[in-house]
Amino acid sequence: MIFPGATLGMLGGGQLGRMFTMAAQTMGYHVIVLDPDQDSPAGIIANSHICAAYDDESALSDLASQCDAISTEFENIPATTLAFLEQRTVVHPASQALAKTQNRNTEKNFIRSQNIATVPFVSIYQKSDLEKASEHIQFPAILKVATFGYDGKGQIVCSDLPAAYEAFEQLGQKECVLEQRIDLACEISVVLARSDVGTITPFPVAENVHVNGILHSTMVPSHAPDALQQSAIEKASQIAEGLGYVGTLAVEFFISQQGDVIANEIAPRPHNSGHYTLDACPTSQFEQQVRMLCGLPAGDVSLQSPVVMINLLGDVWGDSQPHWSAVLEQPNSKLHLYGKKAARPGRKMGHFTVLANDTDTAMQQAETVFSALQAD
């Protein structure tokens, strides 16, 4: 076990790295963040910030020499970077686990290898693959870049084959995946922690709503039937086991109208839909990340209150500041801002949660607050 007073490293200085840093410092650890942005949200509050690229071996050696263990905040840290660090200190998640989640085609094939359903898909490497894919995928379909796509970026809905050709051109003719669109009942996610001895501790299942490909709201407990929620937990646990994963991990699932539980995406890190744990659980997903990194037992993850989380994107700012009184005057609402200097449309600037006796009440209050928050 690695105890308070030790130094932990965080690759990535965004909001997830920031909340990890806050959790670790609260527990008595020192944190060094490595991120190329000198104004990164995590870097500005860390005990030390190494401002360098993720493949800078000199900077990585410096980080490893100072840290008892290192983790990551997002999946696009090069797996080679983790492999380099693994030769020098404790690193979770491992490079091999991360590598399986960095490419949509690799990820979906891994999920299928675990005998877990995905949406029908075909890997696209060149334009001619689209015509062959149309023999297996019904339109409308979604064309997504295989790497570096997130929050709705790098994906285009295609109504027919000509539209898919055009989308492939728009995406730079990069490796893609063409996915079948399905009739959804809802979307859910499972955030869990897996220890270095294989113990898995899942948080309560979250039900999510996306707008323009970006998470808008998370509701816990989910309205999905208990049996489907349990199935999702079992599948997410199987994925974590298959990866040999250590740390906090999330798996997003589609629930079809027919009641099928379909794995959509793996996030090898804390997840936007797990932010509710900061206010509604005794242990947050970020404290859990610290615990798993340090070889400590998992904390209590029981739900203390029904909760709704609403994402705050830069769109809410307009040309001024949101009307913060709308959330701060509510005694059952909690505001979390990420310390980002510039608000831009689509950029995650913060979130707030509403705690209530039931999720319907929490959702109604949350949407009322959200409408009142938005700048004129």
Side-chain angles (χ1 to χ4, degrees):
M1 294 185 186
I2 299 171
F3 292 110
T7 298
L8 306 179
M10 170 49 60
L11 293 168
Q15 65 265 20
L16 300 180
R18 178 185 178 93
M19 288 182 271
F20 168 90
T21 299
M22 294 168 68
Q25 289 174 335
T26 297
M27 295 170 70
Y29 294 93
H30 301 281
V31 180
I32 301 175
V33 168
L34 188 148
D35 187 281
D37 180 3
Q38 64 180 1
D39 295 320
S40 68
I44 60 177
I45 68 166
N47 297 86
S48 180
H49 176 200
I50 298 175
C51 190
Y54 299 123
D55 59 357
D56 184 331
E57 292 192 355
S58 175
L60 294 172
S61 294
D62 184 19
L63 179 69
S65 69
Q66 298 183 66
C67 292
D68 297 277
I70 297 172
S71 190
T72 64
E73 78 144 0
F74 67 113
E75 56 268 37
N76 290 325
I77 299 292
T80 52
T81 290
L82 295 192
F84 179 86
L85 292 169
E86 285 166 347
Q87 303 302 313
R88 293 159 174 81
T89 189
V90 174
V91 178
H92 296 306
S95 58
Q96 291 185 342
L98 199 70
K100 288 184 174 69
T101 68
Q102 293 179 325
N103 178 294
R104 292 187 191 276
N105 289 309
T106 303
E107 179 180 83
K108 290 182 182 299
N109 284 316
F110 164 74
I111 292 171
R112 285 190 173 181
S113 76
Q114 302 299 300
N115 295 315
I116 295 172
T118 68
V119 296
F121 75 94
V122 174
S123 301
I124 305 298
Y125 301 98
Q126 54 193 9
K127 189 175 180 179
S128 60
D129 291 335
L130 287 165
E131 184 175 0
K132 299 173 187 175
S134 65
E135 299 173 4
H136 307 282
I137 303 295
Q138 296 180 353
F139 289 96
I142 306 175
L143 188 68
K144 301 179 179 180
V145 291
T147 57
F148 299 104
Y150 64 96
D151 287 344
K153 298 178 177 68
Q155 53 185 271
I156 300 173
V157 176
C158 309
S159 58
D160 52 27
L161 184 57
Y165 288 144
E166 183 178 345
F168 189 61
E169 295 287 343
Q170 290 180 35
L171 295 174
Q173 301 186 52
K174 298 176 182 177
E175 179 187 349
C176 289
V177 56
L178 186 68
E179 296 182 3
Q180 178 76 61
R181 293 193 74 178
I182 62 173
D183 193 9
L184 293 181
C186 66
E187 299 179 53
I188 62 174
S189 56
V190 176
V191 178
L192 59 79
R194 184 175 183 273
S195 73
D196 56 0
V197 295
T199 303
I200 292 177
T201 307
F203 285 94
V205 173
E207 184 170 331
N208 306 313
V209 173
H210 291 79
V211 176
N212 297 324
I214 304 176
L215 183 67
H216 170 65
S217 69
T218 293
M219 175 178 68
V220 186
S222 167
H223 286 167
D226 290 346
L228 299 184
Q229 293 189 46
Q230 185 57 40
S231 175
I233 290 172
E234 291 170 359
K235 294 177 191 299
S237 299
Q238 186 178 342
I239 286 170
E241 288 280 0
L243 289 171
Y245 193 86
V246 176
T248 298
L249 171 143
V251 183
E252 295 179 272
F253 292 93
F254 296 140
I255 305 295
S256 73
Q257 291 288 353
Q258 293 74 35
D260 297 317
V261 180
I262 301 167
N264 175 38
E265 195 166 284
I266 304 169
R269 52 173 169 77
H271 193 255
N272 199 167
S273 68
H275 289 347
Y276 77 88
T277 63
L278 288 161
D279 301 312
C281 297
T283 307
S284 75
Q285 62 173 342
F286 301 100
E287 180 182 336
Q288 209 76 301
Q289 185 182 16
V290 175
R291 285 174 170 270
M292 296 303 99
L293 180 62
C294 294
L296 305 175
D300 181 2
V301 296
S302 59
L303 189 69
Q304 303 296 289
S305 168
V307 59
V308 167
M309 183 216 72
I310 302 289
N311 257 341
L312 296 175
L313 306 181
D315 313 62
V316 176
W317 268 245
D319 296 324
S320 61
Q321 285 287 317
H323 304 302
W324 296 124
S325 59
V327 61
L328 295 175
E329 289 177 356
Q330 304 301 318
N332 59 331
S333 295
K334 304 293 182 182
L335 178 65
H336 299 262
L337 296 179
Y338 302 153
K340 297 180 180 180
K341 290 188 174 182
R344 298 190 297 269
R347 190 184 195 194
K348 292 175 181 175
M349 299 295 294
H351 71 269
F352 70 90
T353 56
V354 175
L355 308 174
N357 292 328
D358 58 81
T359 51
D360 290 340
T361 300
M363 182 62 78
Q364 182 180 22
Q365 292 182 6
E367 292 294 357
T368 298
V369 168
F370 181 68
S371 296
L373 263 179
Q374 298 180 74
D376 298 328

